[in-house]
Amino acid sequence: STRKESSAASDVYKRQGRLTLLPEDFTVLCDGTELPLTRKEFEILLLLVQNKGRTLTHEIILSRIWGYDFDGDGSTVHTHIKNLRAKLPENIIKTIRGVGYRLEES
């Protein structure tokens, strides 16, 4: 399991010591307790963490998470962000009106 060893360190992301993202398992821990995120919610959160401090447009989130051929619209992203916010311990996802979303700097 060379892949596991080499990716173990790089595949764990933390934020403010409260959230731990484990990409290989699609798992998010908050203070050590697993949050019940869907796979899409996890993928959006991971994308925001990887781009922390940068505003991601609805289009970027749609294309990265659902793919360029997805037939939905911005409300898909909005709904997933809303559900994600309800599960996170604090309001760390900031809405940039008319642009998109970003993870707040700690």
Side-chain angles (χ1 to χ4, degrees):
S1 65
T2 316
R3 183 181 165 276
K4 187 100 175 144
E5 289 164 15
S6 65
S7 66
S10 62
D11 275 1
V12 176
Y13 297 85
K14 291 192 178 193
R15 181 187 184 277
Q16 293 186 335
R18 297 199 70 193
L19 293 184
T20 305
L21 281 74
L22 306 167
E24 287 189 355
D25 303 324
F26 296 96
T27 301
V28 177
L29 305 176
C30 179
D31 299 330
T33 303
E34 187 173 336
L35 298 179
L37 300 187
T38 66
R39 183 157 175 165
K40 292 290 188 217
E41 289 166 355
F42 178 86
E43 290 173 354
I44 292 170
L45 181 59
L46 180 60
L47 185 64
L48 288 168
V49 167
Q50 290 170 331
N51 292 277
K52 189 173 167 185
R54 288 179 51 209
T55 301
L56 299 180
T57 64
H58 294 95
E59 292 74 22
I60 288 173
I61 295 172
L62 268 177
S63 67
R64 295 273 185 86
I65 304 301
W66 280 271
Y68 287 104
D69 56 353
F70 180 69
D71 204 22
D73 57 22
S75 66
T76 302
V77 173
H78 174 76
T79 301
H80 280 78
I81 294 279
K82 188 178 79 170
N83 294 339
L84 191 51
R85 280 188 172 136
K87 297 174 183 180
L88 293 175
E90 54 190 302
N91 191 14
I92 60 173
I93 300 174
K94 184 169 176 64
T95 299
I96 311 303
R97 282 183 70 88
V99 181
Y101 305 94
R102 79 163 176 253
L103 202 66
E104 283 293 80
E105 297 283 4
S106 52

